């Protein structure tokens, strides 16, 4: 374990918790936004899409910068910007003003995107990265356990703005922690002069590698499939299954438990048997479960069971895939790779979110989840055929 490794992971964990919670919270509180701002149902997906588009664009900008100036400065800039963007939710008074502040939050998220994973790649040896990534990504799981349930209940009782203000305070605390406990890793930095042309050239250089193309495609297709499933799940549960806001909050709590139980274990397993085996197996299982949800979920209790399994399979892929990506390039290109992957993934998420609104209102939830399953199963094929399996060094 590197010096102060657990303390550093704790700071990154809190960042992932707050950042992930603010993204994931929007779908469970769609009904509250619909009520309080009179937003048409089909337009709700655009609130997710604008966040994802801005995140994708800013990720592509921030990646080369992090390779040049170092991960620590990017973490500080991103946590500071996110704190301000979340606080500005207090000023949202209609659909368009909310769209603007969600765009700002997406831009701040773009600065942070891939930063935790790239930092882990810089600071931790490869044989520990599956475990380290899995541990940090449980911050997102605790977003399901604490952030989303508390935010859903708070939005129902006080208003949809309240949970974002609470998350602004948590992100401000994260900024303070990063400032005090997260050092700049001692790795080689990119030496090219920062410029638009230089960044574009760097991305083109990355995309000459078929493995990088496969990694980026995997992110885009996976995020697209995820959005088709999760964006209108809470709305479907309330409108069709008859779930209450409290029950939707408990659903995400159970999903977070599944994530916490699975993420670090799957990462550790991939450290032993290889990344691809874990990713492919979990992707196939996830696709089958997503397809089955509209048919097997007929009550709130069955929704809890199904979502628990879905989140186990979802969590099983994250740590192994992120660890695999960190080994595809050298340290001075790692930030660019992660930002390229996350950026294209978010553009896929934006497209899927917009498509989900159309699919849900025109054809129903089952059509949306069937399409989601098709995209998710295709990720297993891409990983199997086109992604290399880096050799695992001896511990």
């Amino acid at each position: 374990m590197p010096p102060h490794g657990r303390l550093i992971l704790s700071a990154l964990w809190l960042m992932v918790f707050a950042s992930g919670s603010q993204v994931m919270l929007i779908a469970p509180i769609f009904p509250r936004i619909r009520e309080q701002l009179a937003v048409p149902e089909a337009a709700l997906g655009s609130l997710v899409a604008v966040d994802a588009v801005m995140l994708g664009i800013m990720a592509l900008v921030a990646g080369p910068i992090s390779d040049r100036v170092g991960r620590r400065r990017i973490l500080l800039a991103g946590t500071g910007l996110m704190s301000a963007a979340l606080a500005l939710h207090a000023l949202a008074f209609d659909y368009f003003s909310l769209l603007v502040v969600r765009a700002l939050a997406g831009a701040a998220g773009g600065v942070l995107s891939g930063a935790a994973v790239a930092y882990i790649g810089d600071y931790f040896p490869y044989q520990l990265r599956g475990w380290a990534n899995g541990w940090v990504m449980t911050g997102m799981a605790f977003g399901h356990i604490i952030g989303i349930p508390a935010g859903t209940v708070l939005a129902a009782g006080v208003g949809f703005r309240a949970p974002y203000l609470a998350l602004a305070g948590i992100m401000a605390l994260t900024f303070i922690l990063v400032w005090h406990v997260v050092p700049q890793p001692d790795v080689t930095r990119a030496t090219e002069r920062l410029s638009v042309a230089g960044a574009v050239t760097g991305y083109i250089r990355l995309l000459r590698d078929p493995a990088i193309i496969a990694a980026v495609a995997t992110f885009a297709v996976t995020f697209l499939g995820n959005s088709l499933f999760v964006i209108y799940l809470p709305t479907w549960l309330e409108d069709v299954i008859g779930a209450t806001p409290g029950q939707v909050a408990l659903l995400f709590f159970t999903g977070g438990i599944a994530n916490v139980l699975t993420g670090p274990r799957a990462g550790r397993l991939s450290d032993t048997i290889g990344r691809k085996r874990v990713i492919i197996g979990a992707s196939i299982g996830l696709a089958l479960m997503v397809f089955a949800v509209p048919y097997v979920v007929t009550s709130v209790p069955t929704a809890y069971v199904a979502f628990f399994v879905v989140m186990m399979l979802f969590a099983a892929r994250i740590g192994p895939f992120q660890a695999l990506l960190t080994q595809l390039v050298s340290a001075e290109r790692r930030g660019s790779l992660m930002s390229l992957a996350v950026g294209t993934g978010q553009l896929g998420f934006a497209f899927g979110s917009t498509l989900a609104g159309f699919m849900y209102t025109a054809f129903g939830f089952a059509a949306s989840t069937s399409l989601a399953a098709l995209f998710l199963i295709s990720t297993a094929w891409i990983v199997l055929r086109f992604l290399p399996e880096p050799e695992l060094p001896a511990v």
Side-chain angles (χ1 to χ4, degrees):
M1 175 69 66
H4 310 296
R6 294 186 184 276
L7 188 61
I8 292 167
L9 290 178
S10 297
L12 297 177
W13 183 95
L14 190 62
M15 184 195 78
V16 170
F17 167 77
S19 182
S21 293
Q22 70 88 22
V23 172
M24 296 183 294
L25 179 63
I26 189 74
I29 65 173
F30 269 172
R32 309 292 80 78
I33 295 173
R34 182 176 59 186
E35 296 164 3
Q36 295 167 30
L37 295 184
V39 177
E41 187 169 73
L44 291 171
S46 63
L47 295 172
V48 179
V50 70
D51 182 297
V53 168
M54 290 301 297
L55 194 156
I57 293 172
M58 285 303 297
L60 295 174
V61 174
I65 296 175
S66 77
D67 288 335
R68 181 66 178 83
V69 305
R71 317 293 179 212
R72 183 175 186 272
R73 291 180 180 178
I74 288 295
L75 289 170
L76 287 170
T79 52
L81 290 171
M82 182 64 79
S83 300
L86 293 175
L88 287 173
H89 281 68
L91 303 180
F93 61 91
D94 61 7
Y95 167 72
F96 290 105
S97 59
L98 182 58
L99 194 70
V100 170
V101 295
R102 290 309 302 157
L104 293 174
V111 177
L112 288 174
S113 68
V117 178
Y119 189 96
I120 289 170
D122 288 349
Y123 200 77
F124 289 83
Y126 183 64
Q127 61 267 31
L128 293 178
R129 289 177 199 164
W131 166 79
N133 274 297
W135 199 93
V136 168
M137 289 304 133
T138 62
M140 190 167 294
F142 271 86
H144 285 276
I145 295 172
I146 301 173
I148 296 178
T152 301
V153 172
L154 193 60
V158 182
F160 74 87
R161 302 170 186 83
Y164 288 107
L165 295 179
L167 288 169
I170 294 174
M171 189 59 79
L173 174 62
T174 304
F175 174 87
I176 295 171
L177 287 175
V178 171
W179 182 274
H180 286 286
V181 305
V182 177
Q184 170 59 37
D186 184 18
V187 296
T188 303
R189 300 187 195 178
T191 57
E192 297 91 344
R193 185 173 61 88
L194 285 174
S195 66
V196 174
V200 172
T201 300
Y203 284 128
I204 292 174
R205 189 182 304 122
L206 283 174
L207 290 171
R208 289 173 181 164
D209 185 343
I212 301 300
I213 296 175
V216 170
T218 300
F219 252 84
V221 174
T222 297
F223 275 61
L224 201 163
N226 290 347
S227 63
L228 284 167
F229 170 70
V230 76
I231 293 302
Y232 279 87
L233 174 64
T235 304
W236 176 73
L237 289 172
E238 289 197 24
D239 293 348
V240 177
I241 305 300
T244 65
Q247 289 171 330
V248 170
L250 184 58
L251 176 84
F252 282 90
F253 176 87
T254 61
I257 294 293
N259 202 319
V260 169
L261 293 175
T262 306
R265 290 173 173 81
R268 179 66 79 182
L269 179 64
S270 77
D271 287 338
T272 303
I273 69 171
R275 318 297 185 194
K276 290 179 62 171
R277 292 180 182 179
V278 178
I279 297 167
I280 292 169
S283 295
I284 293 172
L286 181 62
L288 294 175
M289 278 302 303
V290 165
F291 176 80
V293 162
Y295 307 103
V296 301
V297 173
T298 56
S299 63
V300 172
T302 56
Y304 292 153
V305 174
F307 195 65
F308 187 91
V309 176
V310 165
M311 290 307 297
M312 284 183 62
L313 295 166
F314 178 80
R317 303 179 310 163
I318 296 175
F321 186 64
Q322 291 175 335
L324 190 153
L325 258 61
T326 63
Q327 196 67 7
L328 293 181
V329 295
S330 58
E332 63 266 24
R333 299 294 179 191
R334 193 169 284 138
S336 294
L337 172 59
M338 292 309 305
S339 292
L340 178 62
V342 172
T344 54
Q346 287 297 321
L347 293 177
F349 196 82
F351 177 74
S353 301
T354 303
L355 181 59
F358 168 75
M359 295 289 290
Y360 182 77
T361 55
F363 303 109
F365 191 56
S368 184
T369 57
S370 296
L371 188 58
L374 180 64
F375 283 112
L376 291 171
I377 199 71
S378 68
T379 63
W381 178 78
I382 295 172
V383 172
L384 175 65
R385 290 292 305 274
F386 302 107
L387 270 180
E389 176 75 80
E391 182 179 352
L392 291 168
V395 179

